[in-house]
Amino acid sequence: MRESFFPVKEAEVIYDTPTGDIHTGYKLIVREDTNKILSCMTNEYSLITNEQVMNKALPTLEKKKAELIECKMFGDGARTQWKFRIPKVKVKIAEGDYVNPEIIIKNSHNGTSEVSAYGGAFRLVCSNGLVIGYAIGHDKGIRHIGSNSDDDVERIIDSIINQVTGIFDEDFPRLVETKLHKPHIGAI
């Protein structure tokens, strides 16, 4: 996960003309460790680093004993996704068949997505990567435009984690134990 905590900076885009500099209203988002430009954004864009996101998410994830199972970066770090599994919470699907809830958190430095979190239970069903599952708890994310505080990021992530664990601790076991009969299936 630490590899996703690379330093990022903003660099104002200025157009140099013979009559003077023109401030364009744009800035570059630059990955400092590689000096790679991740994106060019308007000045309204508010930089939220991956480290800021995870610093807000990790305390709640650690309380729930969540384990990082995947960290993916795309476009040299322009987009990042972390996937956590909560192994202490098990949902029985059938005798000897269990799934654990997962929390997925995303951030981007190129405007393709907002800081967001969602959760659910998912299962790989085919060697080609096909996954089925039940996604719940997607909250409106934090856009990188305007004044966003660390408290907003923390609120969204905490809300999703608590919502997902609550549903899988309390609601899902009741659903699994509910017996459906043929006439009920037609009504659904």
Side-chain angles (χ1 to χ4, degrees):
M1 175 178 2
R2 292 282 170 215
E3 70 274 6
S4 68
F5 291 179
F6 51 83
V8 182
K9 69 178 179 182
E10 300 174 343
E12 184 179 8
V13 176
I14 299 173
Y15 183 60
D16 184 23
T17 70
T19 58
D21 292 344
I22 297 175
H23 297 270
T24 63
Y26 288 89
K27 58 186 167 186
L28 301 176
I29 307 303
V30 180
R31 184 171 172 164
E32 289 186 277
D33 60 338
T34 63
N35 216 28
K36 175 154 176 51
I37 297 171
L38 299 177
S39 64
C40 180
M41 307 299 293
T42 67
N43 283 342
E44 287 87 36
Y45 176 88
S46 297
L47 182 63
I48 303 172
T49 68
N50 291 339
E51 189 169 9
Q52 286 173 290
V53 172
M54 284 295 105
N55 283 344
K56 292 300 180 177
L58 286 174
T60 302
L61 290 163
E62 288 168 356
K63 270 190 249 172
K64 301 293 184 180
K65 306 281 191 254
E67 298 173 353
L68 179 69
I69 57 170
E70 185 176 77
C71 175
K72 288 183 180 178
M73 290 189 296
F74 307 92
D76 291 322
R79 296 183 326 272
T80 306
Q81 174 180 296
W82 303 270
K83 187 187 295 186
F84 293 85
R85 181 170 293 140
I86 306 172
K88 287 183 72 175
V89 179
K90 292 184 180 196
V91 178
K92 181 180 175 183
I93 303 301
E95 194 60 43
D97 186 12
Y98 297 88
V99 292
N100 304 96
E102 295 177 356
I103 306 293
I104 298 170
I105 300 171
K106 295 181 177 186
N107 188 29
S108 77
H109 296 304
N110 65 0
T112 57
S113 70
E114 54 199 13
V115 176
S116 63
Y118 61 96
F122 310 97
R123 169 162 297 155
L124 181 68
V125 292
C126 185
S127 61
N128 72 1
L130 177 66
V131 174
I132 61 169
Y134 181 68
I136 54 170
H138 185 273
D139 205 339
K140 183 176 180 332
I142 303 295
R143 296 201 60 216
H144 287 262
I145 304 294
S147 60
N148 296 312
S149 71
D150 283 347
D151 292 340
D152 293 334
V153 173
E154 185 173 23
R155 179 186 50 76
I156 291 266
I157 292 171
D158 283 354
S159 168
I160 294 304
I161 294 167
N162 290 323
Q163 184 179 357
V164 167
T165 55
I167 286 171
F168 283 100
D169 278 342
E170 299 163 18
D171 297 343
F172 239 68
R174 282 192 299 245
L175 286 172
V176 169
E177 297 302 319
T178 302
K179 302 290 184 216
L180 289 178
H181 303 286
K182 207 169 199 165
H184 298 132
I185 294 170
I188 297 175

